[in-house]
């Protein structure tokens, strides 16, 4: 019998790569998808797996739908990836962010506890939980947590619910504290993809600038395809545990601009960047850099794709999309919304 995996957030960046990984390993993959007026399957389609994932309609905030789904499939592995994942939006929609990320996680944990108690559970925790807290400019599993956005607070609650269900009910529940991970499937509102899409448009003569906020923040950026392997590895261990997943190297937004513009042969990017206060945050995280030694030691995991390779991969994918768009004469992703 193939192993059954249930993924919330299956239409997101990580959900798509994780589905691909699990399908390649012979799993049956079931994904929770919320009802939208326009279905959002572009990532699963780009990976060519749209028809291989079994889509089940429900919503993280609707315990009835989550319970029915878990009861009907009785998965052996549950990956809880669904979230309102954009930090900037969490100041505008703190209640929704908390309902989806914190209470939604509780809905999934309760459904697993009631209807599939043998299942192994993965929680998508985040380096945002650290805020500006660090030890020698890095963060690991022991660094104090000090969230600085409604998003980070909601994720901290979900992180502790996961640990609490492990300690209270003996559930095999793991939390992956993942640092920023990117890919050609990244949402266009995140700074990396906003830059690579903007650079590709500038290169093709479709735009003359990119409007950005703080250029000095530093993030530890890895490749999403590498990070979903770590999620799977966590659920294959003998004991449930929590792990930092990161590259251990950070870069500023300026460094990202250097790499993205140089991928299209532009060495001086300053004339193409406009700093726009709409993209500044009420509370910023200045520097994230994860220490991944526990994951290396216990999971045997290490990142494979380096920073320059990642940036180049994203720019090349956006150049290809623009070529396709100009042939089809339509843009197939929503344009940027103010504040994103
Ligand atoms: P993403 O691309 O924004 O995907 C989020 C997913 O959640 C989408 O499938 C979305 O569905 C779904 N979703 C949102 N609200 C929902 C609701 N009410 N009910 C059901 N589904 C809902 O995020 P990602 O980058 O793949 O990240 C995956 C997870 O890892 C998230 O929990 C994120 O917070 C966390 N994380 C990400 C990073 C990173 O750098 N990427 C780092 C640390 C942690 P729609 O397609 O309908 O919008
Ligand atoms: O790309 P970002 O929006 O990602 P952020 O806030 O680090 O969050 C991402 O990573 C977290 C893991 O640490 C995840 F939990 C979360 O779900 C998400 O995937 O912003 C990165 C940095 C910030 O410092 C921001 O202020 O880029 C800076 N930035 C500068 N100009 C901008 C912009 N960010 C965005 N989105 N848009 C800008 O114009």
């Amino acid at each position: 019998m193939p192993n059954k995996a249930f993924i919330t957030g299956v239409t997101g960046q990580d959900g798509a790569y994780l589905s691909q990984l699990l399908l390649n390993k012979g799993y049956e993959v079931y994904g929770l998808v919320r009802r939208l007026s326009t279905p959002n399957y572009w990532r699963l389609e780009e990976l060519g797996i749209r028809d291989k994932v079994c889509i089940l309609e429900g919503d993280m905030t609707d315990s009835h739908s989550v319970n029915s789904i878990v009861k009907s499939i009785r998965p052996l592995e549950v990956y809880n990836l669904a979230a309102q994942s954009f930090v900037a939006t969490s100041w505008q929609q703190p209640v929704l962010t908390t309902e989806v990320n914190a209470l939604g996680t509780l809905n999934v944990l309760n459904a697993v506890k009631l209807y599939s108690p043998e299942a192994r559970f993965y929680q998508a925790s985040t380096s945002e939980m650290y805020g500006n807290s660090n030890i020698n400019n890095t963060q690991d599993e022991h660094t104090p947590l000090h969230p600085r956005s409604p998003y980070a607070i909601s994720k901290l609650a979900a992180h502790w619910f996961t640990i609490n269900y492990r300690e209270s009910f003996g559930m095999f529940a793991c939390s992956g504290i993942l640092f920023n991970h990117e890919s050609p499937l990244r949402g266009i509102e995140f700074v990396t993809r906003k830059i690579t899409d903007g650079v590709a448009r500038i290169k093709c003569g479709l735009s003359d600038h990119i409007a950005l906020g703080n250029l000095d923040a530093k993030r530890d950026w890895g490749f999403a395809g590498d990070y979903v392997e770590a999620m799977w590895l966590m659920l294959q261990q003998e004991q449930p545990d929590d792990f930092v997943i990161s590259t251990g190297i950070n870069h500023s937004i300026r460094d990202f601009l250097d790499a993205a513009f140089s991928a299209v042969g532009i060495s001086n990017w300053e004339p193409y960047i406009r700093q726009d206060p709409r993209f500044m945050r009420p509370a910023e995280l200045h520097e994230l850099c994860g220490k991944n030694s526990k994951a290396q030691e216990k999971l045997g995991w290490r990142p494979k794709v380096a920073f320059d390779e990642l940036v180049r991969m994203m720019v090349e994918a956006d150049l290809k999309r623009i070529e396709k768009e100009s042939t089809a004469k339509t843009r197939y992703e929503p344009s940027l919304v103010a504040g994103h």
Side-chain angles (χ1 to χ4, degrees):
M1 286 289 282
N3 197 347
K4 288 183 186 178
F6 174 48
I7 303 177
T8 72
V10 76
T11 53
Q13 169 188 257
D14 293 4
Y17 282 114
L18 180 64
S19 297
Q20 184 182 50
L21 178 88
L22 296 178
L23 287 166
N24 286 340
K25 289 183 183 295
Y27 281 68
E28 271 175 20
V29 177
Y30 297 81
L32 175 79
V33 174
R34 59 178 164 165
R35 190 259 163 193
L36 296 173
S37 62
T38 308
N40 175 27
Y41 294 117
W42 69 273
R43 295 183 174 95
L44 296 174
E45 279 160 7
E46 278 209 14
L47 297 181
I49 55 173
R50 162 75 180 85
D51 298 332
K52 299 190 175 103
V53 173
C54 177
I55 301 297
L56 299 161
E57 199 171 287
D59 194 290
M60 290 293 284
T61 58
D62 182 78
S63 59
H64 174 78
S65 60
V66 175
N67 283 340
S68 316
I69 290 170
V70 173
K71 194 175 177 182
S72 69
I73 55 183
R74 296 192 186 281
L76 284 179
E77 291 178 17
V78 175
Y79 296 87
N80 185 40
L81 310 185
Q84 190 304 92
S85 74
F86 190 46
V87 175
T89 289
S90 76
W91 278 284
Q92 293 154 0
Q93 299 180 31
V95 177
L96 175 110
T97 302
T98 304
E99 282 171 354
V100 176
N101 300 2
L103 299 181
T105 298
L106 200 48
N107 284 336
V108 181
L109 280 164
N110 279 326
V112 172
K113 175 174 165 267
L114 285 173
Y115 301 114
S116 206
E118 301 306 313
R120 296 183 167 207
F121 176 89
Y122 172 83
Q123 170 57 20
S125 288
T126 166
S127 49
E128 282 284 315
M129 299 188 306
Y130 294 114
N132 286 324
S133 168
N134 68 81
I135 295 167
N136 299 327
N137 295 325
T138 62
Q139 293 87 16
D140 69 11
E141 292 81 1
H142 306 292
T143 307
L145 303 168
H146 186 132
R148 273 169 67 80
S149 64
Y151 167 79
I153 294 167
S154 70
K155 281 288 186 175
L156 185 64
H159 178 70
W160 279 110
F161 277 132
T162 303
I163 293 169
N164 181 258
Y165 272 50
R166 179 169 80 215
E167 292 177 352
S168 306
F169 307 118
M171 280 173 60
F172 193 108
C174 301
S175 190
I177 306 172
L178 271 53
F179 284 61
N180 298 50
H181 44 282
E182 318 294 315
S183 74
L185 301 186
R186 186 59 142 152
I188 204 159
E189 66 273 35
F190 297 94
V191 76
T192 54
R193 179 79 205 293
K194 184 174 172 183
I195 293 173
T196 61
D197 173 73
V199 165
R201 280 172 201 285
I202 290 167
K203 176 70 181 170
C204 296
L206 298 173
S207 171
D208 60 3
H209 74 278
I210 309 171
L212 293 172
N214 177 16
L215 304 185
D216 296 314
K218 288 185 166 179
R219 290 291 182 275
D220 178 334
W221 282 298
F223 172 52
D226 290 346
Y227 285 41
V228 298
E229 279 186 40
M231 297 176 189
W232 177 78
L233 281 167
M234 280 180 221
L235 297 200
Q236 313 314 310
Q237 302 306 301
E238 282 185 12
Q239 296 298 327
D241 204 349
D242 309 320
F243 293 89
V244 160
I245 302 298
S246 64
T247 70
I249 302 169
N250 66 9
H251 296 270
S252 65
I253 315 295
R254 288 175 197 281
D255 296 335
F256 198 96
L257 286 164
D258 278 341
F261 275 95
S262 78
V264 296
I266 299 173
S267 53
N268 178 17
W269 46 259
E270 303 250 352
Y272 299 105
I273 299 304
R274 289 190 199 155
Q275 278 205 279
D276 186 330
R278 285 179 308 155
F279 301 117
M280 303 296 278
R281 298 192 173 170
E284 180 62 285
L285 264 58
H286 304 300
E287 192 162 344
L288 288 172
C289 187
K291 215 169 161 187
N292 62 18
S293 28
K294 180 174 173 186
Q296 291 210 26
E297 231 172 81
K298 296 202 168 168
L299 303 178
W301 178 88
R302 25 181 73 65
K304 295 181 195 120
V305 176
F307 176 72
D308 283 331
E309 199 183 338
L310 171 64
V311 180
R312 184 169 288 278
M313 182 201 300
M314 291 177 71
V315 172
E316 281 171 5
D318 278 319
L319 283 167
K320 274 200 192 120
R321 285 188 181 114
I322 287 168
E323 263 171 39
K324 229 176 163 181
E325 262 175 43
S326 55
T327 325
K329 295 220 167 27
T330 52
R331 182 164 184 188
Y332 76 14
E333 272 195 83
S335 52
L336 296 176
V337 177
H340 287 188

